[in-house]
Amino acid sequence: MPRKVTKAVLPIAGLGTRFLPATKSMPKEMMTLVDRPLIQYAMDEARAAGITDFIFVTARGKGSLVDYFDRAPELESSLKEKGKTDLLDELARTDMPSGAISTIRQQQAKGLGHAVWCARRLIGDEPFAVILPDDVIDSETPCLQQMVDAQAETGGCMVAAMEVDESETSKYGILDVTDDGSASVRVSGMVEKPDPSEAPSNLAVIGRYILTPEVLDVLDHQDPGKGGEIQLTDAIASQIAGDPGVWGFKFDGRRFDCGSKSGFLQATVSYGLKRSDLRDDLAEFIRDIDPALLK
């Protein structure tokens, strides 16, 4: 039986240039989706899946991400004095136990594979998860929890997968799979950002992974791949021929690409409409903007 996954790597060293000027002085992972920053959505999902140890792969200027999960005694005291227990409960969700979060600096921007490799000494010889906070997944059962349960049956490496339009395969790692209709599909090949004419399928890898420590051994000596970066997809692909191999997991849920402006706006509207305290006003506002938009 595979070992339980208790560690997660969150690569958060990127500059967030697609959201400039907002990200000039704040990490993009602190951008707020309704009333929580993107990093909290990722952490809440991981904790629901049983993750207890978090490794932030960061860069200069990212200190606020760690500060966010620290206690705020003065704020807590003020809320308590004012009897705002509901806000105290919300604030408590951001607290993390001492030692639960470790930080590692990625001193050179060499790609996702390199970012994961930077965390190798803290991962050790255990299976681990990788979560990209840019990908926010709305699902009844958190996506990573779905994957942890599935990987306990399959073993090996597992990547979250979803179907994309064939014209967009050049934006993703694409899987070649043996698809028997089940959620977990055996991977026979992986290609990083292929031209649509060369893509083996339209099943794309998105920002959730469960990986074996053998992937780190590969990253130790891996050459740069697509775009001149150390590609995580290439390292995972090296495990395909082995046993138990690599699996794609077609998760149940809707993914929002919050690394793009349009995806972030879509997520904001979707999550806002799910909130009972916001739904009616937001829906009325959308209807009033331009009725033609709803046709």
Side-chain angles (χ1 to χ4, degrees):
M1 178 178 293
R3 294 176 63 179
K4 185 177 180 181
V5 180
T6 61
K7 293 182 178 180
V9 177
L10 288 84
I12 49 178
L15 296 175
T17 53
R18 284 189 285 181
F19 282 93
L20 285 171
T23 50
K24 178 182 177 181
S25 61
M26 65 177 288
K28 66 176 179 179
E29 297 82 7
M30 286 300 294
M31 292 183 62
T32 304
L33 178 55
V34 184
D35 56 6
R36 288 188 288 164
L38 293 178
I39 189 67
Q40 187 176 339
Y41 286 88
M43 294 289 279
D44 287 348
E45 180 181 333
R47 287 189 283 189
I51 301 297
T52 56
D53 297 292
F54 302 86
I55 304 167
F56 286 5
V57 182
T58 69
R60 292 176 62 87
K62 298 279 187 169
S64 61
L65 289 164
V66 178
D67 291 343
Y68 177 78
F69 292 102
D70 200 355
R71 294 287 302 275
E74 292 182 1
L75 177 57
E76 292 169 17
S77 178
S78 175
L79 292 175
K80 188 174 182 179
E81 289 177 3
K82 295 176 182 178
K84 296 184 177 181
T85 56
D86 54 337
L87 292 179
L88 276 170
D89 291 341
E90 284 294 319
L91 202 61
R93 296 178 59 189
T94 69
D95 293 343
M96 294 291 293
S98 296
I101 296 176
S102 302
T103 61
I104 295 290
R105 284 283 184 95
Q106 184 184 18
Q107 296 177 329
Q108 295 176 287
K110 292 185 176 181
L112 179 57
H114 179 258
V116 172
W117 175 84
C118 288
R120 66 197 182 285
R121 291 188 178 90
L122 294 177
I123 296 169
D125 63 351
E126 301 178 38
F128 61 100
V130 178
I131 304 175
L132 306 187
D134 282 0
D135 281 333
V136 175
I137 301 174
D138 183 17
S139 54
E140 185 173 345
T141 300
C143 179
L144 191 61
Q145 183 177 339
Q146 296 178 46
M147 293 178 67
V148 166
D149 293 342
Q151 195 265 351
E153 299 294 327
T154 64
C157 295
M158 178 169 282
V159 298
M162 70 175 206
E163 292 185 350
V164 298
D165 190 278
E166 292 180 359
S167 64
E168 296 190 334
T169 58
S170 60
K171 300 178 181 179
Y172 300 90
I174 299 296
L175 302 178
D176 190 357
V177 301
T178 302
D179 194 342
D180 60 1
S182 59
S184 300
V185 291
R186 186 73 182 244
V187 175
S188 56
M190 301 177 71
V191 185
E192 183 64 24
K193 300 179 180 178
D195 185 90
S197 64
E198 300 175 351
S201 74
N202 68 333
L203 196 61
V205 177
I206 62 115
R208 302 291 185 275
Y209 310 78
I210 297 176
L211 305 177
T212 62
E214 286 76 18
V215 170
L216 298 174
D217 296 333
V218 176
L219 289 171
D220 267 333
H221 51 77
Q222 183 170 300
D223 293 326
K226 193 86 170 183
E229 297 184 334
I230 305 297
Q231 296 290 346
L232 183 60
T233 300
D234 293 342
I236 298 171
S238 71
Q239 306 300 301
I240 289 173
D243 187 30
V246 178
W247 297 79
F249 183 75
K250 295 183 287 185
F251 60 92
D252 181 20
R254 182 178 183 184
R255 172 254 189 175
F256 295 94
D257 177 12
C258 288
S260 71
K261 293 177 183 177
S262 60
F264 192 92
L265 290 171
Q266 291 166 18
T268 299
V269 172
S270 180
Y271 275 80
L273 290 173
K274 287 170 64 71
R275 288 273 297 264
S276 60
D277 58 330
L278 301 174
R279 182 189 307 115
D280 292 344
D281 287 345
L282 181 56
E284 182 179 357
F285 173 73
I286 293 172
R287 286 192 295 267
D288 289 346
I289 291 177
D290 185 351
L293 293 174
L294 304 180
K295 294 181 179 178

